[in-house]
Amino acid sequence: MIQPIEGAHSTTFSSDRDPEDLLPARMINELVYCPRLFYLMHVEGQFAESIDTIDGGIVHRRVDNGTGGLAPAEPCATQSFIPSADEDPAVIVPEATKPKKRRKSKHVQAATLFGDDDDDGSEAGEQEACEQQSDQDSDASEEAEDLPKTIHARSVTLSSESLGVIAKLDLAEATGSVVTPVDYKRGRPKRMADGTLAAWDPERVQIALQVLVLRDNGYQSDEGVLYFNETRQRVRVGVDEELLDLTRSAIAAARQHRESGQIPPPLVSSPKCPRCSLVGICLPEETRRLANIQQPPAAVRPLITARDERRPVYFNTQGMWIGKKDDLLQAKVEGKVVQEIRFNDINQINLFGNIQLSTQAIQTALGRDVPIGYFTQKGYYYGVSGGLGVKNILVRRQQFRLADDSEFCLDIARALVHGKIRNQRTLLMRNHREPDATSLRDLKRYAARALTADSLASLLGIEGIAARIYFGDFAGMLKVDCGVSTGGEGYVTAEKRPAFHFRSRNRRPPRDPVNAMLSLAYSLLTKDCLVAATIVGLDPHLGFYHQVKPGKPALALDLMEPFRPLIADSVVLSAINTKMVTADHFICAGKSVVMSDAGRKHFLLAYEKRMDSLVTHPLFDYRVSYRRLLEIQTRLLARRLSGEIEEYPVFQTR
């Protein structure tokens, strides 16, 4: 049901406006279905595929291949939807019909050649009947020749400047000057209580818009047809005054939503949401739960899938060549195919070191919104390639505005640091052999102090102290003892020392295996947070806690703060304690330590296993993978930027 908007009454469209401002009829259909869906798709330019949208694309495949041609309307058929006040309606005078010629009757042979004399009367009657039937057939043939033929035109695009609407007709059935739009639907029609077929309001409004656009282009049109592919049934939709009023209100409401720049609130427990393809972008239940913080928390329905069925792919073999064959990503080493992966199974491509990727593979990946991440051979992350990205410039503009607001930045930074310290403390409690009570107490104290920090500089100090306490006890979570030789074979300074003996955090270059793995884990997590920010439409290089620096993905670093202990540190602990990575997987050069190709491969497996594991969200009480969780948290930050929610809920594990 369309909600009335204050001031949204006029459907008149100014002719001096940009043609790009024309409202697609399909989008007005979406507005009647859900105003928030209209805003996300039409204003923010967001879209996501689902089984329904893909099925709909298959249904429209034939009609979309039409030439789009349709003969222009005859002038006498013009009937504008909004007639000018100073014009009288045109009077159409019907053309005089010519009298039909009666053809000469043909001789009809009697039914039998041996008829009796008594049957003369009946024979004459039969002959007369045959003559009459012949005359009727001749008349019907002449009438059929006189009737105008029905012409079918597919994929016809018409616009109406007076309405400010553009419509694409799947099929137009033209008979003389009368054109009937036919719109294809993938599902089944609405069935009334008496068993008759009908249409839902969004479908009726879309048909009415097509009829009105046809009229505004000079055609005569009084009704439209909905063709439902699942049941192969047609439903006729007559355009009456009640439907015209509903359509006018929908046009005005759509224009008002677009110009307001305010996203409409989500529907309340609507049955429409579970089948909506944009439910993972909209987050209706989560947004409403966080927006109404003054009210008792409502239960959140798990409307999104727990994990993405697609997987990231990592290429680590130096000298590898990767190309595209049909719908496959094909990897070759020295001209020999070593791996083939379907593009439909990939959501990221990551390249480590000297690996070549063909132009065709890059074009296909970017066309499908599959980002390509680039790492050095040692795992240092230095860039990502992406497509044109989302068109949601509104949230990015708001991000730039609020990044200059020091109070807003401090508010977000407090929440991020508080969540990070709390998660560090939880990780120590869960994994340390003997958690130190003093460390746990201090971490709890500094987490609380982070919420009252009066500046970003003060917050940095609190975070640094907490990190020193946390990494001071980090070695207690390592439960494997083995040795590694420093300096390598042949080095004079080579000595034997514990492989996974961790004293403190060091980097550039890391000087022990644990720090080498921590650096690689943070690089991978930075890449995933950067991809999540890009998907949502945020600029990953403009943060609120981390300051702007050329080439530094400040927002990605902001987003990853609470997840450093839960994902990166946890992967390192898991890889060591389960012996997925051993001392043999490291190469020492002087005082620096790097992972071998085999060790990096094992570590990437551990990382992806962690990202694919399910975790319960403490606010919404449903389980999602860590990779899905990163996207949800980033979308919630976007909600905070747009003002839909008042606080950013940093993820804190229980």
Side-chain angles (χ1 to χ4, degrees), residues 76-270:
C76 62
T78 302
Q79 184 180 1
S80 176
F81 170 55
I82 305 176
S84 175
D86 55 358
E87 289 182 0
D88 294 330
V91 178
I92 303 173
V93 179
E95 296 181 359
T97 55
K98 296 180 180 179
K100 298 177 181 178
K101 293 182 179 179
R102 187 179 183 84
R103 289 188 177 182
K104 186 178 180 180
S105 58
K106 298 179 180 178
H107 171 72
V108 179
Q109 181 68 37
T112 173
L113 297 175
F114 306 96
D116 296 333
D117 293 339
D118 297 337
D119 296 336
D120 288 343
S122 61
E123 182 180 347
E126 288 180 1
Q127 182 172 351
E128 184 179 357
C130 290
E131 289 176 355
Q132 290 177 356
Q133 182 64 37
S134 175
D135 291 342
Q136 290 175 2
D137 294 343
S138 176
D139 292 344
S141 176
E142 290 174 0
E143 290 175 357
E145 290 178 357
D146 294 339
L147 288 176
K149 295 182 179 177
T150 299
I151 300 172
H152 293 88
R154 294 181 175 83
S155 193
V156 179
T157 301
L158 299 172
S159 65
S160 167
E161 293 189 359
S162 60
L163 291 171
V165 172
I166 185 169
K168 181 179 180 182
L169 281 59
D170 291 338
L171 178 66
E173 292 181 345
T175 307
S177 61
V178 178
V179 179
T180 301
V182 180
D183 201 70
Y184 279 52
K185 301 295 179 186
R186 56 165 295 277
R188 56 180 58 197
K190 176 183 179 182
R191 191 171 293 279
M192 307 299 289
D194 59 356
T196 58
L197 304 181
W200 301 95
D201 279 349
E203 300 161 345
R204 294 174 65 228
V205 167
Q206 188 172 1
I207 286 294
L209 285 167
Q210 295 179 358
V211 167
L212 295 177
V213 171
L214 283 169
R215 289 181 183 178
D216 218 30
N217 282 270
Y219 300 97
Q220 183 179 346
S221 182
D222 299 319
E223 65 174 8
V225 174
L226 289 165
Y227 174 74
F228 293 89
N229 187 67
E230 184 175 334
T231 58
R232 300 184 181 278
Q233 291 175 309
R234 290 164 64 100
V235 176
R236 292 193 174 273
V237 178
V239 179
D240 53 14
E241 196 58 34
E242 177 266 337
L243 181 55
L244 289 179
D245 289 341
L246 182 64
T247 305
R248 292 190 189 99
S249 299
I251 296 173
R255 198 168 296 152
Q256 182 72 13
H257 281 304
R258 185 177 64 181
E259 294 172 358
S260 69
Q262 296 292 324
I263 185 170
L267 302 177
V268 180
S269 301
S270 172

Side-chain angles (χ1 to χ4, degrees), residues 412-432:
I412 295 291
R414 286 176 184 147
L416 291 172
V417 175
H418 171 77
K420 176 184 177 182
I421 298 175
R422 294 281 302 184
N423 288 336
Q424 288 175 332
R425 182 174 181 271
T426 302
L427 195 67
L428 282 176
M429 294 171 61
R430 287 182 178 176
N431 297 282
H432 201 282

Side-chain angles (χ1 to χ4, degrees), residues 1-2 24 117 139 144 152 180 192 205 281 288 296 331 365 373 383 398 408 420 489 505 536 552 566 579 600 626 643:
M1 188 67 185
I2 303 173
D117 293 339
D139 292 344
H152 293 88
T180 301
M192 307 299 289
V205 167
I281 298 174
R288 186 169 289 280
Q398 193 66 9
F408 182 88
K420 176 184 177 182
E489 186 178 355
R505 181 81 178 101
V536 174
K552 179 181 177 182
L566 300 182
K579 298 184 179 180
R600 194 177 303 113
Y626 274 103

Side-chain angles (χ1 to χ4, degrees), residues 279-340:
V279 66
I281 298 174
C282 174
L283 299 179
E285 305 273 327
E286 294 84 350
T287 303
R288 186 169 289 280
R289 162 83 162 71
L290 296 173
N292 300 324
I293 57 176
Q294 304 298 335
Q295 300 178 5
V300 176
R301 292 181 296 171
L303 300 179
I304 57 178
T305 55
R307 55 166 63 95
D308 189 352
E309 295 301 325
R310 301 175 301 168
R311 296 284 186 274
V313 58
Y314 298 85
F315 293 104
N316 192 35
T317 303
Q318 302 307 297
M320 177 178 282
W321 183 90
I322 302 170
K324 174 180 177 294
K325 181 182 178 183
D326 298 330
D327 199 38
L328 298 174
L329 194 67
Q330 193 176 66
K332 294 182 179 179
V333 176
E334 297 179 354
K336 183 179 180 181
V337 177
V338 295
Q339 193 171 15
E340 289 184 335

Side-chain angles (χ1 to χ4, degrees), residues 394-409:
L394 299 178
V395 69
R396 185 168 294 203
R397 183 174 64 179
Q398 193 66 9
Q399 177 190 2
F400 275 74
R401 287 174 176 169
L402 292 175
D404 292 332
D405 186 339
S406 58
E407 286 297 323
F408 182 88
C409 292

